[in-house]
Amino acid sequence: MRTNKSRAGTRAATKKSASKPAAPKRKQARQSGKLPVNTIINGDSIEALSKLPDASVDLVFADPPYNLQLEGELLRPNNTRVDGVDQEWDQFASFAEYDKFTNAWLAEAHRVLKPTGTLWVIGSYHNIFRVGVSLQDIGFWVLNDIVWRKSNPMPNFRGRRFTNAHETMIWASKDRNAKGYTFNYDAMKALNDDLQMRSDWVLPICSGGERLKDDQGQKAHPTQKPESLLHRVILASSNPGDVVLDPFFGTGTTGAVAKKLGRKYIGIERDAQYAEIAQQRIDRVQHADPDSLQVTESKRAQPRVPFGTLIERGMIEPGTVLYGPGKRHKARVRADGSLAVTGATGSIHKIGAHVQGQEACNGWTFWHLKSDAGLTSIDVLRQKIRAEAS
């Protein structure tokens, strides 16, 4: 990731890596005018973005250059050199140049996103605040900022600052009034042992067997992101079959995780060597069967079924008696879908709360039908109607 910077002015024609030619299928996909799904475009990010169709992408994950440079050589306490980010693609002459680059790629990302699509962009204190201003000026609407707290960060060897132990991600919809964007809330809750997932994520940096190496055994890319981070991002904000775009593809973490989760991907990467590593990596990935890729569905995404629908369809007859848990309470169903108890009438929720002396109640789970097999929740009938609608 973070290797596909476009230059402003006379620096637009920066030196290109000695590269193998792009694979034929990537060229054909771009020339045909079709959305080049499941391919890596070997080229400049802004130029490649400009050739993608309007409103064609469901999710953008961007790990742009951070404009991060070490001030001179940095040594560990044992005098070994720290392998920092000193590549040409992460160097900008000024903040103004970086802002121009940021505005250009963000504007294209905004254009290619569907109205229901969302953007994720990650950065450090060096750049994320400038990126945040740019995306808001372009029209994106910030939904969350997520703090990725690294469980194994690199120490601060100079001892002049706090250890940089986190990075920040901004999650944004296409505009303030965007509706229908994907957020798999219940899936995130399930992933977090049935606790609501917070905006601070504790995950390790990429290391060990996950870290890709070159032929000399060195890190193939200095800023490779862990698959656990992308797993959470993609699972939270997309669905199987969606198109996930990464304009700074690097060694392909986004593509690998997207394929594993049954999403389509588009990667843009200027460095041909990184693109080749990414392609080989993705080719090795096998995604699970469709049933295994399904996630816990958000209740808000399910069709609304009024209790009266059960009456209209004859699934419950007027006059039927409903029971609370353990048959401690009972109420009679009326023709309009309301319930009646001594001294009160109202909805399944209102009467459920009334008989318990509570402020609120989920009537769907509180009320039950009596049968020879015992008590059955009326929610079972609602789920049957929902299944018919899907």
Side-chain angles (χ1 to χ4, degrees):
M1 299 180 180
R2 291 205 273 128
T3 62
N4 210 321
K5 182 175 63 173
S6 175
R7 295 297 191 175
T10 58
R11 300 187 67 179
T14 52
K15 64 179 182 179
K16 297 182 179 178
S17 305
S19 66
K20 303 173 184 177
K25 73 171 184 177
R26 295 202 288 265
K27 289 185 177 180
Q28 290 168 359
R30 293 181 64 186
Q31 291 168 358
S32 68
K34 297 179 181 179
L35 193 64
V37 295
N38 298 332
T39 61
I40 303 171
I41 301 170
N42 185 196
D44 175 80
S45 59
I46 297 171
E47 179 184 353
L49 280 168
S50 71
K51 296 180 181 179
L52 298 180
D54 294 350
S56 58
V57 170
D58 298 286
L59 177 66
V60 174
F61 178 84
D63 183 12
Y66 287 9
N67 199 21
L68 164 67
Q69 295 297 310
L70 293 174
E71 298 176 358
E73 189 173 59
L74 181 58
L75 301 178
R76 297 182 177 87
N78 64 359
N79 287 325
T80 59
R81 182 179 179 276
V82 174
D83 185 15
V85 182
D86 55 6
Q87 281 80 359
E88 179 271 340
W89 50 259
D90 200 54
Q91 298 175 9
F92 289 84
S94 64
F95 285 138
E97 182 185 326
Y98 186 79
D99 292 346
K100 185 175 182 179
F101 157 72
T102 300
N103 287 328
W105 75 259
L106 277 172
E108 290 296 339
H110 189 268
R111 180 186 61 78
V112 303
L113 266 179
K114 295 178 181 178
T116 54
T118 56
L119 165 80
W120 289 80
V121 58
I122 188 170
S124 69
Y125 70 89
H126 302 85
N127 72 321
I128 196 64
F129 303 107
R130 308 191 76 85
V131 171
V133 170
S134 293
L135 66 85
Q136 287 183 311
D137 287 346
I138 286 168
F140 285 102
W141 185 255
V142 176
L143 300 170
N144 276 114
D145 67 321
I146 306 292
V147 174
W148 168 31
R149 187 156 64 89
K150 303 172 183 179
S151 58
N152 53 342
M154 180 185 294
N156 184 285
F157 293 107
R158 290 197 174 107
R160 298 175 183 171
R161 303 180 184 181
F162 296 109
T163 296
N164 293 322
H166 78 278
E167 294 183 30
T168 300
M169 292 187 292
I170 297 174
W171 181 40
S173 60
K174 190 165 183 177
D175 59 61
R176 180 174 186 169
N177 300 314
K179 298 182 184 301
Y181 62 84
T182 298
F183 177 45
N184 293 317
Y185 167 82
D186 288 281
M188 291 296 97
K189 191 174 179 181
L191 195 66
N192 198 39
D193 286 340
D194 286 331
L195 295 175
Q196 186 180 66
M197 187 165 286
R198 296 159 36 125
S199 61
D200 53 335
W201 298 355
V202 181
L203 297 168
I205 63 174
C206 185
S207 60
E210 185 183 348
R211 171 67 75 173
L212 299 178
K213 303 291 181 64
D214 60 21
D215 294 338
Q216 287 73 46
Q218 301 300 312
K219 291 187 294 186
H221 194 289
T223 62
Q224 182 183 336
K225 294 298 183 287
E227 291 193 7
S228 59
L229 185 70
L230 270 297
H231 182 99
R232 194 171 291 189
V233 166
I234 293 173
L235 195 70
S237 50
S238 69
N239 297 303
D242 282 356
V243 177
V244 181
L245 167 67
D246 185 338
F248 310 98
F249 205 54
T251 51
T253 302
T254 302
V257 177
K259 181 179 177 182
K260 186 181 298 182
L261 294 177
R263 278 67 167 170
K264 301 170 185 174
Y265 69 88
I266 301 173
I268 304 173
E269 175 51 50
R270 189 183 69 177
D271 188 298
Q273 184 176 1
Y274 289 153
E276 186 65 28
I277 292 171
Q279 189 65 68
Q280 293 173 2
R281 175 187 188 181
I282 293 169
D283 288 344
R284 294 191 295 267
V285 172
Q286 299 292 325
H287 62 70
D289 62 272
D291 288 342
S292 299
L293 293 174
Q294 297 303 312
V295 299
T296 306
E297 187 178 19
S298 171
K299 295 179 177 63
R300 294 183 179 181
Q302 297 175 337
R304 181 177 178 272
V305 179
F307 178 67
T309 301
L310 276 61
I311 315 301
E312 293 173 331
R313 297 186 54 174
M315 301 173 80
I316 295 179
E317 297 291 340
T320 300
V321 176
L322 300 182
Y323 296 88
K327 299 183 182 180
R328 289 188 296 274
H329 306 284
K330 62 181 181 178
R332 190 170 299 276
V333 176
R334 304 202 305 179
D336 64 354
S338 62
L339 301 187
V341 296
T342 302
T345 61
S347 70
I348 58 172
H349 312 296
K350 181 178 178 180
I351 297 304
H354 171 75
V355 298
Q356 298 177 86
Q358 297 181 354
E359 291 293 323
C361 169
N362 182 348
W364 287 107
T365 56
F366 180 77
W367 294 111
H368 295 71
L369 287 166
K370 182 181 177 183
S371 68
D372 293 340
L375 296 182
T376 301
S377 171
I378 61 172
D379 196 40
V380 172
L381 302 179
R382 178 173 66 160
Q383 296 306 324
K384 288 183 179 179
I385 296 176
R386 284 176 167 169
E388 293 171 5
S390 63

